[in-house]
Each structure stands twice: as structure tokens, then as C-alpha cells.
Amino acid sequence: TQHAGPTTGTATRGTGDVVPQAAPRAAPAQRVAATNAASAEVLDELRRGVALQRENLDLARVNYEVGRFSPLDLGVAEALLLEARIKLEAAEQKPVTGLLEELVRLREEEVKLVDMRYEVGMVTQAEVLSAKSRLSDARARLAAARAETPATLPTTGRSAG
């Protein structure tokens, strides 16, 4: 038998042990409304992030064209925009495989450029390893996205199973 305990939100058994009581739960409609509001706020922020990264890329292109930025700097700005777009698309539950493929391409180019800079002493080995790590991460994310997406098989008259 449970009796009201000395503290709100608790009860005691006949033995005197304190048994925590669950806090009252929000009604399902309230939880859905709160989740939708939070989701809308998250999506708004992610869209804002994409817009900011687009602006950043536009500035990087101008700096590249006038010789202030290297191809590596431009690639970094492109990757930042892609990352922002991937986050937004994922939050909107849209496929991101195409964006991840582009990110892998950019990361591969980054590794080539960083390797060349390392060969002439412009960057450290740590920067090479960081670039290779970013490439590995992008490839893993792409593999995971492909594993989640059902493959489209050519029509051969046979089923996939």
C-alpha cells in the first residue's frame, strides 16, 4: 500500500521506503505542438546557417578571383556551405547522398592540395592528417547514407531479393 510521503512527488510503502512518483506528463497534443515549434525553430536556424555560408562562399570567390584566396581557401568555403546544406536536408528528412558525394569530391581535392603544399613545406604533416581525416569522415557519412537509401537496380526482370 502506498501512502502520501513527506515530500511532494514521493510516496512511501508500508516499510517507509520512499518511492519516486512520475511527474505529470504533458498531453500528447501539447507535446506535438512543442515539438513542431522546436522543429520550426531548428529549421529556421539551419536555413539561416545555409544563407550565411552562401554569403561566405560568395566572398571567398571574390577573394579568390582577386588573388587573396588560394584554391584551398575556396574549397574550404565550398565545404562549409555543403556541410550546412547537409544538416538542413537531413533535418528536413530529405536525401543527402548527392550532397555527400559532392563533399567527398571536395575533400579529395583538399587532400591533393594539402599534400602538394606539404611537399613544398607550406603546411605541416598534422594539416595533411587533418585533411585526410575529414575525407575519411565524409566517405563514412556517404557510405552510411547509401546504406540507408534503397538501391535502384536496373530492370532485369528479376527481383532484388
Side-chain angles (χ1 to χ4, degrees):
T1 330
Q2 293 188 355
H3 304 282
T7 310
T8 306
T10 63
T12 59
R13 292 190 182 114
T15 61
D17 293 337
V18 175
V19 180
Q21 298 295 302
R25 297 181 75 161
Q30 291 172 321
R31 285 195 305 270
V32 168
T35 300
N36 288 343
S39 296
E41 188 176 344
V42 168
L43 291 174
D44 287 345
E45 286 302 323
L46 290 172
R47 287 184 189 108
R48 191 171 293 117
V50 168
L52 291 169
Q53 291 303 336
R54 270 201 181 100
E55 191 174 331
N56 180 52
L57 178 57
D58 291 342
L59 289 172
R61 283 185 177 134
V62 169
N63 282 306
Y64 175 74
E65 288 169 8
V66 297
R68 277 186 255 165
F69 274 19
S70 71
L72 186 59
D73 298 319
L74 184 59
V76 167
E78 290 172 335
L80 288 171
L81 174 57
L82 269 175
E83 290 284 6
R85 290 180 58 206
I86 289 165
K87 287 178 188 174
L88 176 59
E89 297 284 320
E92 292 176 332
Q93 299 181 349
K94 295 180 180 174
V96 295
T97 306
L99 294 172
L100 287 167
E101 288 170 347
E102 179 66 13
L103 182 62
V104 167
R105 188 197 64 73
L106 278 174
R107 294 299 188 200
E108 288 170 343
E109 185 63 27
E110 176 188 14
V111 167
K112 288 178 192 172
L113 292 170
V114 172
D115 273 340
M116 286 190 300
R117 286 180 164 208
Y118 177 72
E119 305 251 336
V120 296
M122 293 177 67
V123 298
T124 66
Q125 186 177 15
E127 290 172 273
V128 173
L129 294 175
S130 290
K132 288 180 178 180
S133 177
R134 286 188 292 274
L135 173 56
S136 180
D137 178 67
R139 285 178 173 160
R141 290 166 61 195
L142 176 58
R146 284 179 174 159
E148 290 176 10
T149 307
T152 4
L153 299 175
T155 309
T156 61
R158 291 188 287 191
S159 66

